[in-house]
Amino acid sequence: MALQTLADAFHDELRDILSAEKQLVKALPKMAKAASSEELRAGFEKHLEETKTQVERVEQAFEETGKAARAKTCEAMEGLLAEASSMMEEEADPEVMDAILIGCAQKVEHYEIATYGTLCTWAKQLGYKAAYKLLKANMAEEVATDEALTALSETVNAEAKA
Ligand code: FE
Ligand code: FE
Ligand code: FE
């Protein structure tokens, strides 16, 4: 199906982020398990719960498009998560692994922030008010998660230096 309008592009991009969020629901428990820092593990578990809600918000955001809420494989997230899982297989000191996990997680959050940024801009331009609010809520959680990871990196990475 050809993408003829901004509305078509919006729907396609929603399908992409739906796939990305669903991939994260599967990946975050593995990242939590690989973390040694109690705080980092708790952070991943918290974001897992947020991510499940994000999937629901994205599904609701399809309503104004009048089209099906069907995911379309996000290859970028597949790539980011493939990289994260190969790093998790590396032999590393626990504190070093935590620093690596934070780095992998921040790449994921930045991808999400970029995508939600685009989606919010398009939703606004298309007059999709409900979708805009839902996507903005997801974006706020991704930004907060990214900031929490940066804060955590200050303590976790200090331990990894030793
Ligand atoms: Fe997310
Ligand atoms: Fe994508
Ligand atoms: Fe996220």
Side-chain angles (χ1 to χ4, degrees):
M1 185 195 71
L3 302 171
Q4 294 179 314
T5 63
L6 189 64
D8 294 337
F10 177 81
H11 178 253
D12 200 70
E13 192 71 359
L14 262 190
R15 295 184 63 196
D16 178 88
I17 198 70
L18 180 58
S19 159
E21 297 290 11
K22 284 182 167 180
Q23 289 181 49
L24 285 164
V25 168
K26 287 190 192 148
L28 280 164
K30 296 176 201 163
M31 293 174 80
K33 216 171 162 188
S36 297
S37 151
E38 198 58 55
E39 270 186 290
L40 181 57
R41 192 174 330 132
F44 283 141
E45 280 162 4
K46 180 187 176 206
H47 200 49
L48 170 63
E49 293 315 307
E50 288 174 338
T51 301
K52 289 177 187 168
T53 304
Q54 290 177 353
V55 168
E56 291 170 13
R57 289 198 197 102
V58 172
E59 284 170 346
Q60 288 166 24
F62 277 88
E63 266 173 46
E64 282 157 312
T65 71
K67 291 186 197 164
R70 202 153 45 83
K72 173 184 166 189
T73 305
C74 174
E75 290 172 8
M77 190 56 72
E78 279 188 337
L80 290 170
L81 293 175
E83 208 170 89
S85 43
S86 75
M87 288 311 294
M88 285 189 274
E89 282 166 23
E90 295 281 340
E91 214 45 81
D93 281 3
E95 298 81 10
V96 175
M97 183 54 77
D98 282 351
I100 291 167
L101 287 169
I102 290 172
C104 291
Q106 288 195 285
K107 288 186 193 185
V108 165
E109 296 312 313
H110 283 232
Y111 177 80
E112 293 182 295
I113 291 165
T115 305
Y116 283 120
T118 298
L119 282 167
C120 284
T121 301
W122 290 354
K124 205 175 213 173
Q125 290 166 343
L126 291 162
Y128 293 164
K129 291 204 173 86
Y132 178 82
K133 273 180 90 175
L134 291 159
L135 297 166
K136 199 84 184 165
N138 280 7
M139 179 144 107
E141 285 176 350
E142 315 300 17
V143 169
T145 301
D146 181 52
E147 284 168 358
L149 287 165
T150 295
L152 262 176
S153 75
E154 281 170 24
T155 50
V156 168
N157 296 5
E159 285 164 29
K161 279 205 293 183

